[in-house]
Amino acid sequence: MQPIFFQGLVFREFHDSDSEEFATAARESVNTVGRWMSWCNASFSAQDALSWFQQCRVDLASERAYEFGVFSQESGALLGGAGLNSINHQNLFCNLGYWVRESAQRKGVALRTVQALVHHAFQTLGMQRVEIVIASGNTSSEAVARKYGAQFECIAQNRLQLHGMPVSALVFSVIP
């Protein structure tokens, strides 16, 4: 998978050498990201990151998901992660998910991530629909989807599992 360069960001596969920085980013972001993504917790370790990276490689090889580290083009620092996943090749749609480490939030990283990966989904992967599914109450991610111009479609009951519990989610879509 070739890196994607977009407005000061680099989207690339995770390397094993990213594991310590990924773990640090996760632990720093428990109060923001961790509220909405169960994996992001205070005990997240470099070994947890390595396990995730391995799963990303398996999913990429089977074309089930394209997961990216989001890095600063200038400094090389890890800013977060994003993925085009739950890919449905028959009906040409996928999910777009993203997270930004706490120290990089409110700097336009999430919006630029959505812009870059929606383009990639349509132009490179040939998708005809991208869904952004956001846990109810995650107003920051909702604001990003709305700012991008994604179409709000519905609130889906029990759409996501969060900290072991089913939660409602807002479903947004983008089409070419």
Side-chain angles (χ1 to χ4, degrees):
M1 183 167 59
Q2 292 294 320
I4 299 167
F5 297 88
F6 183 80
Q7 295 184 1
L9 301 177
V10 178
F11 302 87
R12 66 163 172 80
E13 291 178 72
F14 289 108
H15 303 149
D16 287 352
S17 59
D18 298 321
S19 63
E20 288 292 345
E21 189 173 13
F22 189 103
T24 298
R27 290 189 304 266
E28 130 188 339
S29 306
V30 169
N31 291 329
T32 53
V33 177
R35 290 183 60 201
W36 309 110
M37 296 184 173
S38 301
W39 61 266
C40 184
N41 58 64
S43 64
F44 194 91
S45 68
Q47 186 57 52
D48 293 328
L50 288 170
S51 295
W52 168 243
F53 300 167
Q54 180 56 36
Q55 185 61 54
C56 292
R57 292 179 192 112
V58 169
D59 290 344
L60 176 62
S62 65
E63 297 183 339
R64 283 190 304 247
Y66 296 81
E67 300 290 345
F68 300 89
V70 181
F71 296 86
S72 165
Q73 189 172 353
E74 181 180 331
S75 70
L78 174 70
L79 305 176
L84 296 167
N85 48 48
S86 299
I87 295 174
N88 183 313
H89 292 283
Q90 180 178 352
N91 294 303
L92 301 176
F93 71 89
C94 65
N95 178 71
L96 168 58
Y98 48 88
W99 67 276
V100 177
R101 74 186 299 166
E102 193 162 335
S103 60
Q105 292 173 7
R106 305 205 176 281
K107 297 177 182 173
V109 174
L111 180 60
R112 287 180 284 157
T113 295
V114 171
Q115 292 167 332
L117 293 189
V118 164
H119 178 82
H120 186 74
F122 294 148
Q123 299 304 314
T124 303
L125 303 181
M127 296 290 114
Q128 292 299 308
R129 176 182 170 88
V130 174
E131 294 181 349
I132 303 172
V133 180
I134 302 166
S136 293
N138 185 345
T139 56
S140 295
S141 284
E142 179 184 349
V144 170
R146 290 186 186 281
K147 188 168 187 176
Y148 175 79
Q151 176 68 44
F152 173 72
E153 292 190 345
C154 68
I155 297 176
Q157 302 300 311
N158 291 1
R159 177 62 173 77
L160 297 173
Q161 291 289 311
L162 186 58
H163 304 291
M165 300 293 295
V167 297
S168 299
L170 289 77
V171 178
F172 289 86
S173 68
V174 182
I175 59 173

